[in-house]
Amino acid sequence: MLHGVKKVTDNKKIAISYWSKNKCACPVCGKSFEREEMLSGNGRMIAGDLTDELHRIYEPSSKFGKIYPLIYSVGACPNCNAAFFWEDFGELNDSVSIRKIRDDEDRRVKAVSTIFPYYNLTRERSLYDGAAMYYLALLTYERMDLSFLPTMKRAIIALRLAWLSCDLDVTCPGHNFRYVADVFYRKAVFFYQQAVINEMQRVEKSSMIGNSGPDIDKNYGWDGVIYLCGLLEYKYGQREDPALRLQKMNEFKTAIARIFGLGKSSKNKPGPLLEKSRALYDNLSKEIEKSEDIHIAGV
């Protein structure tokens, strides 16, 4: 028997996660809580397609059903509702950030409860609870010093929240989770682009983040960040101002071309990212051409 596995129910439900024997110490309130981790192996994670958003889809298995590995990457303290990527629990020692996070608890809980009113931080997490933890993390990083690279982390979290909200829309139809997903997609557009701006202006070393993800299966690095800036703008960016949109499409087309050599093969670029960048480059080119034709016709 695996040490630390907690029996899920009396009907011997097949375990997906376990409670670590090592508790997690919260740097904000100073209290410890149990850390839940996902079990691996035995066909729990059946990797499926990789979406254009670099999101890995995991296929359901006959034994374990549909699982969501993404939800186990963050932890949330049930005592003060502060949430971080697991590795940051042991890194936060900035007294100013800790005070800001502690003082912001009521606002954080109220905001998360508006979308996830029944979330619970002490039971084995469901997709619903996992999404709530990510939202708590999004709001927690808002109060952290730039040395912790909060903008880049909020970009990743917002995008993952959009994915989880789409999953919730499938599992819980009729509860407006598709609308929630669109809100988080728009947040991801902003944070990804702001992270790049901060990097260029040298106010936040966004490119120094240990893992740019955006998912848990592979780190696509800074090239992946630039790619996602363009993709998210193309798919979810504003459309009220056609001139501004055309400007952004041109900017991201140039950025994609610069990094990926106009879609030509490169031994230094990950294969899937190169292929998807080619597709994005083509889509940007088509939209730019269409927009310019409309502009010319209207002159």
Side-chain angles (χ1 to χ4, degrees):
M1 181 176 179
L2 179 63
H3 184 79
V5 173
K6 178 180 288 187
K7 192 174 182 180
V8 180
T9 61
D10 290 335
N11 61 1
K12 297 183 179 179
K13 177 182 174 181
I14 298 174
I16 295 174
S17 65
Y18 69 99
W19 300 99
S20 172
K21 63 180 181 180
N22 298 316
K23 290 188 175 183
C24 180
C26 177
V28 177
C29 66
K31 297 182 179 180
S32 296
F33 62 95
E34 289 188 291
R35 172 171 177 166
E36 184 184 10
E37 299 188 25
M38 181 180 168
L39 289 161
S40 60
N42 295 323
R44 288 180 177 83
M45 296 173 65
I46 304 175
D49 294 335
L50 181 71
T51 72
D52 61 346
E53 297 170 8
L54 307 180
H55 175 35
R56 179 66 64 189
I57 304 298
Y58 290 92
E59 303 294 339
S61 70
S62 58
K63 183 176 183 180
F64 297 98
K66 181 70 173 177
I67 61 174
Y68 305 92
L70 201 63
I71 64 176
Y72 299 96
S73 296
V74 298
C77 175
N79 301 299
C80 67
N81 288 272
F84 308 92
F85 288 114
W86 284 114
E87 57 268 23
D88 282 340
F89 275 95
E91 297 294 327
L92 181 57
N93 55 14
D94 175 56
S95 60
V96 175
S97 296
I98 290 174
R99 176 180 54 78
K100 288 181 178 179
I101 295 169
R102 184 169 54 241
D103 293 346
D104 197 48
E105 180 182 0
D106 289 344
R107 183 189 71 94
R108 197 162 55 245
V109 171
K110 182 177 180 181
V112 176
S113 297
T114 299
I115 301 177
F116 307 103
Y118 308 111
Y119 77 88
N120 187 308
L121 302 181
T122 59
R123 64 190 175 196
E124 291 178 338
R125 70 189 71 187
S126 61
L127 172 62
Y128 184 89
D129 294 329
M133 291 181 188
Y134 265 97
Y135 193 16
L136 283 171
L138 186 71
L139 298 174
T140 300
Y141 281 106
E142 181 180 331
R143 297 300 188 227
M144 295 183 69
D145 185 80
L146 292 180
S147 62
F148 289 95
L149 312 182
T151 308
M152 191 67 254
K153 290 174 182 177
R154 293 175 77 195
I156 297 170
I157 289 169
L159 183 55
R160 291 183 180 184
L161 265 169
W163 297 338
L164 294 174
S165 296
C166 287
D167 289 332
L168 281 168
D169 188 55
V170 174
T171 59
C172 305
H175 291 275
N176 296 318
F177 282 115
R178 180 63 241 190
Y179 171 80
V180 172
D182 290 340
V183 171
F184 287 126
Y185 270 125
R186 289 193 293 271
K187 288 182 179 293
V189 171
F190 171 78
F191 287 126
Y192 266 98
Q193 295 181 17
Q194 190 61 49
V196 173
I197 291 172
N198 289 358
E199 171 78 12
M200 294 174 62
Q201 295 180 348
R202 299 184 178 182
V203 298
E204 185 178 2
K205 299 178 181 178
S206 303
S207 64
M208 298 300 292
I209 190 170
N211 190 334
S212 300
D215 211 327
I216 61 173
D217 68 319
K218 187 174 180 62
N219 178 14
Y220 286 96
W222 193 246
D223 287 347
V225 171
I226 300 300
Y227 163 79
L228 283 169
C229 280
L231 180 80
L232 294 174
E233 181 66 40
Y234 172 70
K235 293 178 69 174
Y236 308 107
Q238 69 83 29
R239 297 174 184 270
E240 292 77 17
D241 187 338
L244 178 59
R245 180 166 177 81
L246 179 60
Q247 175 186 334
K248 283 184 170 289
M249 294 298 98
N250 272 300
E251 290 175 353
F252 286 118
K253 178 185 174 182
T254 300
I256 293 295
R258 184 183 302 118
I259 292 177
F260 297 96
L262 294 174
K264 296 179 181 178
S265 62
S266 171
K267 295 181 181 180
N268 298 322
K269 308 298 180 184
L273 183 56
L274 181 60
E275 294 172 5
K276 295 185 185 304
S277 296
R278 286 173 179 160
L280 175 59
Y281 182 87
D282 290 342
N283 287 332
L284 292 172
S285 298
K286 291 176 183 177
E287 178 163 335
I288 291 169
E289 182 179 354
K290 182 178 179 181
S291 299
E292 290 176 341
D293 288 345
I294 293 174
H295 176 72
I296 292 173
V299 173

